Amino acid sequence: DYGDKTYYFRGTAPDNYVTFAGKTWRVVRINGDGSVRLVLNTTTGIDSVWNTNYSSTTWETAITYATYGNSTIKGNVETWYNTNIGNNTNYSSKVVPTKFCNDRTYTTGTDYYYFGVRNRLYPVASASPSFICPTSTSEGNDIYNLNVGLLTGDEVAFAGGIYGTSNSSYYLYKSGVSRWTMSPFNWLVSSGSVSAMRVYSDGYLSYNYFLYNSYGVFPVISLSAETLATVNVENPGTSANPYVVQ
């Protein structure tokens, strides 16, 4: 990870529950700078498209639609954050900006441009997810320093998500609920459609789902390394006894 080693949760992770800002979160990992990365345990309650712009006949325009900074979902995530955390000084003082990766590196074929996350997670047998955003000298690569964002496809894979395979035995699985990631997946030349990676309702990392679809929004934040939490010593971090950040 950026700065130093990262320590992440994988599988069902029954001991990574945190309550903060009146919400229940799950610890995704300890970032390289020591801050603690959390993902909301439930959706915000309002589904979102990834982007209202989703189809282009040219690569130059298509890649802008796959850019998180231009996306509809970024605005929706930040509106939720400002309402629930940003407008409260006590809460917002504990959140630190951290890096979020919107990997737009790519490879090309006859009828597709595959973005980086697809190439790292497929084929499954040789998958190589990464917490560090690759760099590109051509189109550029978006690394955002934000208070709030979304999980990447790579982070889902580290947690237990498998490309194209159902999995209900990891903590990001939510029965009947699909969620967007921050990772663009591909651009199909023949149709012009741009897609992003999502976690489907049966837990698998799925592909080729177009940006105009509405799925669940699970914001991601990082608490500073100095943040203190209280917890009972018996079974700490469980759903019945979460870490509590005041």
Side-chain angles (χ1 to χ4, degrees):
D1 191 15
Y2 308 100
D4 206 340
K5 294 180 180 178
T6 187
Y7 300 88
Y8 63 93
F9 282 87
R10 182 175 175 84
T12 56
D15 56 353
N16 71 340
Y17 286 85
V18 174
T19 60
F20 171 67
K23 311 290 183 184
T24 300
W25 305 76
R26 308 296 291 272
V27 179
V28 178
R29 59 190 175 108
I30 309 301
N31 297 316
D33 62 1
S35 59
V36 182
R37 200 172 191 89
L38 307 178
V39 61
L40 195 66
N41 192 45
T42 59
T43 73
T44 60
I46 301 176
D47 289 353
S48 175
V49 300
W50 206 95
N51 204 337
T52 52
N53 297 311
Y54 57 85
S55 182
S56 174
T57 58
T58 67
W59 167 244
E60 291 74 18
T61 300
I63 196 170
T64 67
Y65 296 164
T67 303
Y68 185 70
N70 300 332
S71 70
T72 305
I73 200 168
K74 180 177 185 289
N76 292 336
V77 168
E78 292 177 352
T79 295
W80 180 92
Y81 173 85
N82 290 332
T83 299
N84 291 276
I85 296 175
N87 293 334
N88 184 303
T89 303
N90 177 51
Y91 297 153
S92 62
S93 65
K94 295 177 173 65
V95 176
V96 292
T98 49
K99 290 182 173 63
F100 288 86
C101 179
N102 173 226
D103 180 14
R104 298 183 304 153
T105 58
Y106 63 91
T107 57
T108 63
T110 304
D111 187 43
Y112 62 81
Y113 282 58
Y114 283 138
F115 289 106
V117 70
R118 185 269 181 192
N119 298 322
R120 287 190 296 279
L121 301 185
Y122 184 83
V124 172
S126 58
S128 56
S130 176
F131 288 124
I132 298 177
C133 232
T135 57
S136 171
T137 58
S138 52
E139 299 296 343
N141 199 57
D142 291 359
I143 302 174
Y144 296 87
N145 204 43
L146 300 171
N147 287 325
V148 64
L150 297 171
L151 292 175
T152 64
D154 298 86
E155 287 177 313
V156 175
F158 276 116
I162 305 169
Y163 184 95
T165 301
S166 301
N167 182 13
S168 61
S169 299
Y170 72 120
Y171 69 93
L172 297 178
Y173 164 74
K174 302 296 176 186
S175 178
V177 180
S178 298
R179 74 174 78 196
W180 282 119
T181 74
M182 187 181 275
S183 303
F185 181 79
N186 72 354
W187 174 56
L188 293 177
V189 178
S190 56
S191 67
S193 294
V194 183
S195 66
M197 185 161 276
R198 68 171 184 175
V199 182
Y200 191 53
S201 58
D202 62 0
Y204 76 83
L205 265 170
S206 62
Y207 48 89
N208 205 27
Y209 283 89
F210 304 127
L211 305 183
Y212 57 76
N213 289 303
S214 287
Y215 298 125
V217 178
F218 291 74
V220 174
I221 61 172
S222 290
L223 301 182
S224 72
E226 291 74 32
T227 300
L228 299 178
T230 60
V231 69
N232 293 326
V233 294
E234 186 175 353
N235 299 320
T238 61
S239 59
N241 184 25
Y243 298 98
V244 178
V245 178
Q246 301 294 341

